[in-house]
Amino acid sequence: MQLYALGLNHHTAPLNIRERVAFQPERLDDALHDLTQARTVREAAILSTCNRTELYFATEQPQHAADWLARFHSLTLSEVSPYLYTYPQRDAVRHVFRVASGLDSMVIGEPQILGQVKDAARRAEEAGTMGTLLHKLFQNTFAVAKEVRSTTAIGANIVSMAAAAVHLAERIFERLSDQRVLFIGAGEMIELCAAHFAGAQPKHITVANRTESRALALAGRYGADVMRLDGIGDVLAQFDIIVSCTASPLPIVGLGMVERAVKARRHKPMVMVDLAVPRDIEKEVGELDDVFLYTVDDLAQVVDAGLESRQQAVIEAEEIINSRVDGFLHWMQGRDVVPTIRALRQHAEALRASELERARKLLARGEDPQKVLDALSHGLINKLMHAPTHFLNQSEGEQQADASRMLQQLFNLNSHD
């Protein structure tokens, strides 16, 4: 049974592929149960974000996971296989350590991914698909991410996706203080964007969300209005900047809706930022005049500018990760020898019990205790030494030399004595 990581991300797959294999939160439990149902995959966790879909699992046949991923999303394997990577044990451990530490993110060092990895682990544990291997893996993962963040400057002066969204809006509008902003959704990414845009003091902010209570909590922090999702089409023309990030499996803002808004605005520019995967805004909207549509991949070009200043921190973080990978694999190897250690102890215990029982019978017959103890010690030694001596005597040639070196090391013998 080996650990594997399988998936695709913003490095290997374009947005139109990533959105086709993204997991909706409400289907995640069913997906985990389905993945492990056939028992070819024993343990599993699924990480699905805007930038990646990854499976972490324990199995003897990793190809089953790739077949399942395609089948679950009603795709053929040939459609996704060009974008997939599969990491075997050592590489899989290193990969999840790097992901949680922010080294594999679109924004190097961004902190949100650690929370998303923790959520993936929690969902797997609640679904009952987290076994001993994955539990220990994620424990180590969180410890490594904490060490990287606390001992390196990986998160210093970070350029976030939210900050990049503000930067792109400022390219179009001279002053954000004159603009009206609509946030669609009220999740973590929208909260981050709201904080950044609020810092620019826009003219007005509105939050549209399916759950009113969460929208009210976010709106209350920034003096914003709240509206229902199904009313967006009627008021879209009132907004200059629209930022959307929901878990909807289908687009919320369609081409026709935006065409009507542009016409009502008399072709005044609109900035639309779609941070959702799958997309919240139909991609054809980006072809309209006077509409500037940006996706998560577009924002990557902005955040890359802050990468150079963090290169030294990345080098330090990689050193930490490589060291911790070795430590985790040592723990795994230790687990592999546990059955052998247990069998060896049981064998020794059986020999001890046999010799002890023989000594007790001799004492019961009135034999000299000193002679009985001497016989006990000699009998125990002879039985313990029988197997290694037989192994050495049965070896021949080079194999005998190897056996001799192994026994010397095993019993800490000095070959010169």
Side-chain angles (χ1 to χ4, degrees), residues 20 103 112 169 187 190 223 257 283 303 322 332 368 408 415:
R20 295 180 71 185
L103 298 188
Q112 284 74 41
I190 290 295
M257 183 190 299
K283 62 180 179 180
V303 302
N322 289 336
M332 287 196 68
D368 181 359
Q408 288 174 16
S415 60

Side-chain angles (χ1 to χ4, degrees), residues 7 65 76 85 163 166 197 209 212 224 256 262 272 284 309 330 378-379 404:
T76 63
Y85 42 80
V166 174
F197 273 97
N209 193 53
E212 186 178 12
V262 169
M272 308 188 79
E284 292 79 9
S309 64
H330 180 73
H378 279 92
S404 179

Side-chain angles (χ1 to χ4, degrees), residues 335-346:
R335 289 184 76 251
D336 292 339
V337 301
V338 165
T340 302
I341 294 173
R342 184 180 295 116
L344 182 61
R345 286 190 172 276
Q346 289 173 347

Side-chain angles (χ1 to χ4, degrees), residues 2-9 11-12 52 54-57 59 62 83-96 98-99 104:
Q2 296 280 307
L3 281 174
Y4 291 91
L6 177 146
L8 48 78
N9 62 21
H11 296 303
T12 68
R52 71 184 63 246
E54 293 180 339
L55 313 179
Y56 304 110
F57 56 99
T59 186
Y83 310 100
L84 286 178
Y85 42 80
T86 301
Y87 295 126
Q89 194 147 279
R90 172 178 284 275
D91 294 334
V93 175
R94 183 173 183 270
H95 179 71
V96 68
R98 295 185 78 254
V99 168
D104 197 55

